[in-house]
Amino acid sequence: MEGAAAAVPRARSGGGGRTAVLQGVPASAAGAGGESADALDGASAAAAEPAANTPVAAPRTPSVLGLQGLAVLGVLAEAGGMPGARSVPAVDAVIVAAGFLVTFSVLREQLASGRPGLLSRWQRLLKQQTPVLLLCLGAALAAVGLVGGLPIAKVFRTLVPAVFLQCADWAQFHADGILPKSAYDGSWVPEPFGAVWPLSVVGQIALVWPLLLTVLLFLLRGSLRVLGALLLSAAAALVALPFALPAAAWRGLASHEVFFAGAERMLDLALGSVAACCAVIVIQRRGAGGAVAGAGGARSAIGWTLAGAVLSVGLAAVGVRSGTGAESRLAHLVPAPTAALLVEGATALLLALLALVMALGRGPLCGLLGRPLLVEFGRIGYAVLLVGPLLFWLLRRGWPQITWYGVLLAGLGLSWLVAICVHYPTRRAAVRPWSAARALPLVLAGCLAVAGGSYWLPTRAAQLLRPNGRALVLGLGDGLAGDFATALNRPGGSLNGASGVVGPLAGCGVLAGSDGHPGCDGWRQQWRAGLAASEPDAVLLHLGRDAEDRTVAGRKQTACDPAYRQLYLARLADALQVIESVVPKATVFVMNERLDNSATDPIGAACYNQRVKEFADTHRGKVRLVDLNAELCPVDACRQGTPRGRRFYATVDGTRLTTDGQALIAPWLEQQLRLTAPAATR
């Protein structure tokens, strides 16, 4: 270590106190994002060494990388289906850490050398992350081609150019009008690609934020205090917006998905950047006073330890944002959108302060987050988030009965191993001199190969949907619709099924938008995309989630109320028009709901079934009714298991079928479709 430190050229450390201090910053801050333009890939060999003129070696406590690694594990826990994982602000932590690390890196380069170095930063990003993207997307292409099916193949075709351009979140918004706010909030994104959009947000920060930051520093003449105050004021103004605007104007603004998703990301980025400004200012003052970062006395150590503990407790209290968390409690005092924005602001602030404590402090919490395993996950986080959800999905496809903790443990181990094999070879290749005449054609050829394969993939998947002339039935609606359609894919059957984009959000159906579920507004676009891609012979609808109580005309309504009846029949007619506009010759089957279900009580389910029957009777000749309730609830008790004692439902609320349940229901379902619609089985 000492030899490497002495080898640093004297000219670099002789330019005054400020430059010298910035060269001696802790590896926890600079090493995470200094030499790497990607905030999720940050091990800087140069920044890890202390400066030549530092009297005492700066401590290497990479706690910020550990915090980032913990956030990556949180996103993977959500992908693995861990109960309660969606309550943890893991995606917020990833974005806050990205803002902190990129900002700290830019400030360090600007103040140490006096020049932004944007071109070299973007060049490093291209050299480091393009091979990772090509390798991971190539593996995903092969996996989807083998076991993915048509819906995932079509989404993969949409995602590939968006991932290359770091705009997967905006591609989702273009597809169905939804900007995601947490890793798995998007109703169109299948499981293997759920973590792609947070990576795109991080990519946008790594690409665009250094340019904006350089412009701001130029306009503010390099004043870090003014820059921090400006960013903090912008975040405070965003949080205060609900109280400054008239109520009607705020309601109109809050109804837009783009505003809320954008506001959350702006808060995370702004407050993470403010924390980075504060870290640089503190390091400068320590250097001016003759102290080295992290080498304070016992009183300072106790203060940092207490600050970290208080922030952790506060973050745990505010970050639990489920139905019983902070948002629901605040919603009793202020409107729900305002409560959501306040909670998001508090969460981002606590995360930013925690990153600041990790960069400057010491104590047990810094030691805990500085553990090698967490630091490793932070360093290879980009590759882990690319391959992790894909491996989880493959595990579930290969072993449907595997538990969530089995998926999580096996998936984490495999993700770590694969990411290690991808990250370090590409990183070693990136630090070598590249000849543009050789590198650019290779990169272009790799991108064209992956893009061409993804473009061809849905066509191949559509061809495989009709083996031996079997008719195709497309399932649309909730999760059960996809399971019913998939159940038709059995040897010796005369029908073949394909699950459409069914949407993982509870409450999604054709009533989205008027009932407090604006996140499901994209169902029309989803249906059109699935119908156009597969051109099915028949469409099977199961919309059981619509049976729950809804807000109609300003008050709660059940399926028994006249207002609900009028609205729902109109929405079903709208759904039929969507189907007929794409596949006018397809036969439409609509299922009723079981009396024993998680959406409503038996009386509400009976009323809902009456609404479905009215719709089928009104559109006789175009729509056929499939009496699911008569099959699953023939007597007082509804089916819960198979004759062999296996589980019929894969979930406690009965929203998905097990493999055994699909095998049991398939013959009955095929018989219903054959008896009621012989044209669909030709």
Side-chain angles (χ1 to χ4, degrees), residues 19 22-23 107-117:
T19 301
L22 287 173
Q23 289 176 347
L107 295 180
R108 175 175 174 269
E109 290 184 1
Q110 287 262 19
L111 299 178
S113 62
R115 50 189 176 84

Side-chain angles (χ1 to χ4, degrees), residues 343-359:
V343 170
E344 178 63 31
T347 304
L349 179 61
L350 288 172
L351 285 168
L353 291 175
L354 186 60
L356 179 62
V357 170
M358 293 302 99

Side-chain angles (χ1 to χ4, degrees), residues 186-376:
S187 60
W188 78 293
V189 179
E191 197 172 354
F193 312 116
V196 167
W197 83 259
L199 288 177
S200 290
V201 175
V202 172
Q204 294 161 20
I205 292 174
L207 286 170
V208 180
W209 182 235
L211 176 61
L212 298 178
L213 201 57
T214 301
V215 174
L216 287 175
L217 285 172
F218 175 77
L219 296 177
L220 300 176
R221 297 183 178 181
S223 175
L224 298 185
R225 289 173 174 80
V226 177
L227 175 64
L230 180 64
L231 294 175
L232 185 61
S233 300
L238 194 59
V239 175
L241 202 59
F243 307 98
L245 291 176
W250 167 244
R251 283 195 300 270
L253 185 63
S255 64
H256 294 286
E257 285 288 322
V258 176
F259 168 75
F260 260 103
E264 291 179 354
R265 298 171 199 180
M266 288 297 297
L267 285 172
D268 292 336
L269 174 60
L271 292 175
S273 301
V274 169
C277 293
C278 294
V280 173
I281 292 173
V282 171
I283 291 174
Q284 286 180 337
R285 295 186 62 181
R286 284 177 175 177
V292 179
R299 183 180 301 176
S300 176
I302 294 174
W304 286 115
T305 302
L306 291 177
V310 171
L311 286 172
S312 300
V313 173
L315 187 61
V318 176
V320 179
R321 297 175 295 177
S322 59
T324 59
E327 283 188 24
S328 63
R329 294 187 176 92
L330 275 177
H332 294 293
L333 304 176
V334 294
T338 305
L341 192 62
L342 291 176
V343 170
E344 178 63 31
T347 304
L349 179 61
L350 288 172
L351 285 168
L353 291 175
L354 186 60
L356 179 62
V357 170
M358 293 302 99
L360 300 176
R362 46 192 292 191
L365 185 60
C366 293
L368 179 64
L369 291 179
R371 296 289 182 182
L373 185 60
L374 287 179
V375 174
E376 185 69 16

